[in-house]
Every structure is written in C-alpha cells, then in structure tokens.
Amino acid sequence: MKKYKSRIGPELAIPLAASLGLIVYLAILNNLWLLLLVPLCIAAYFLYLYFATNYIIQNHNLQVKCGFLVNQTIDIEKITEIRNVIDFKSVPAFSIKKLLIKLHGAEEMAISPKHEQQFINNLLAINPEIKIKKSLSYNRRTS
C-alpha cells in the first residue's frame, strides 16, 4: 500500500489564510470575540479535509479520499490517460495544478498528489498502458 497526501497550492492557501487572518484581526480590533468562532470553524474544516485527503494505491486500485466528501475507488487497469491540468475545482485536491485521470469511457477525476512523479510511476508499474501527457492545459469540465 502506498499513500500520498494532497499537494497544497499557494494559490489556494494564501488567499484563505489572508481572509481568515483579516476576520481575526477585525474581530480582535473591535472586541467581537464571538466572531472569532467563524474563522476558527472554517480553518478547522479545511484542516480536517486536508488531513483526511489521501490517494492510496493498493493492489490494483486507487482509492481517492477527501474526508466525508469523496471516497472513490478506481481500478488502475481502467485508467487510460493521465495529464497535467489547471483545475479550479478544489475537491479532492488542495492545488489548482492537478493530474487529470481519465478512465475508459468519459469518466475522469482531477487529483493533486504531493509526490506526483512517484505517484505516476506507481500507477505505471501496475498499468504500463497508461498514456502520460505532461503538457499543462486548462480543464473545462462541467461536472
């Protein structure tokens, strides 16, 4: 079993941290102590999702977990292509730079493993027929 965490992209982390920091600053400045619960709850939620987001390669399956939001198992033998994309949807990844995993048919999923090349190599060891496209493109998925 090989377990990968999601990469954290600064393009998502910095605006989130700045927004939460601003709310904390304004709450303290105006003595609105109860307002501090809002950024604390939001931060706790995102921390939970980050620590609960994993990409697990076990046997011939890739399990994608993102807290209680996503728990999907993909048969690695059904993966046809992996390519780099810019995708602004956040689940199940914490970066806009992602790997788009395409399966037989129209099914696909965008993920952002921390050690991308090692992750791809582990998938290729199970299914050497996967096509790898390294050129970066914008993902225009509607789902």
Side-chain angles (χ1 to χ4, degrees):
M1 176 179 82
K2 294 184 173 70
K3 187 175 182 179
Y4 296 87
K5 296 295 298 168
S6 178
R7 170 186 20 223
I8 298 179
E11 66 281 345
L12 297 177
I14 292 171
L16 178 64
S19 300
L20 295 178
L22 180 62
I23 294 170
V24 168
Y25 173 74
L26 292 173
I28 292 171
L29 190 66
N30 294 304
N31 292 323
L32 299 171
W33 304 109
L34 197 55
L35 186 61
L36 290 174
L37 290 176
V38 173
L40 289 176
C41 289
I42 293 170
Y45 174 71
F46 277 97
L47 284 171
Y48 160 71
L49 283 181
Y50 172 70
F51 286 109
T53 299
N54 299 296
Y55 313 116
I56 302 165
I57 298 173
Q58 187 171 22
N59 300 324
H60 286 258
N61 293 315
L62 167 61
Q63 186 172 15
V64 179
K65 288 184 171 188
C66 183
F68 57 86
L69 300 173
V70 176
N71 188 2
Q72 185 174 355
T73 301
I74 297 169
D75 181 352
I76 295 171
E77 296 293 335
K78 293 183 179 178
I79 297 174
T80 59
E81 181 182 311
I82 298 174
R83 65 182 164 114
N84 293 91
V85 295
I86 298 290
D87 188 350
F88 289 91
K89 294 180 182 179
S90 62
V91 175
F94 288 88
S95 174
I96 63 170
K97 290 177 69 177
K98 297 184 172 97
L99 293 176
L100 184 66
I101 296 177
K102 291 187 167 197
L103 307 172
H104 291 293
E107 193 176 350
E108 55 187 33
M109 177 177 274
I111 62 173
S112 64
K114 200 176 216 178
H115 303 288
E116 189 176 287
Q117 192 56 53
Q118 184 182 4
F119 177 82
I120 291 171
N121 290 342
N122 285 323
L123 292 178
L124 287 171
I126 296 168
N127 180 0
E129 301 297 316
I130 298 172
K131 293 180 185 128
I132 307 298
K133 296 192 177 175
K134 285 291 190 177
S135 61
L136 193 61
S137 63
Y138 290 90
N139 194 17
R140 292 182 173 85
R141 293 182 300 143
T142 55
S143 59

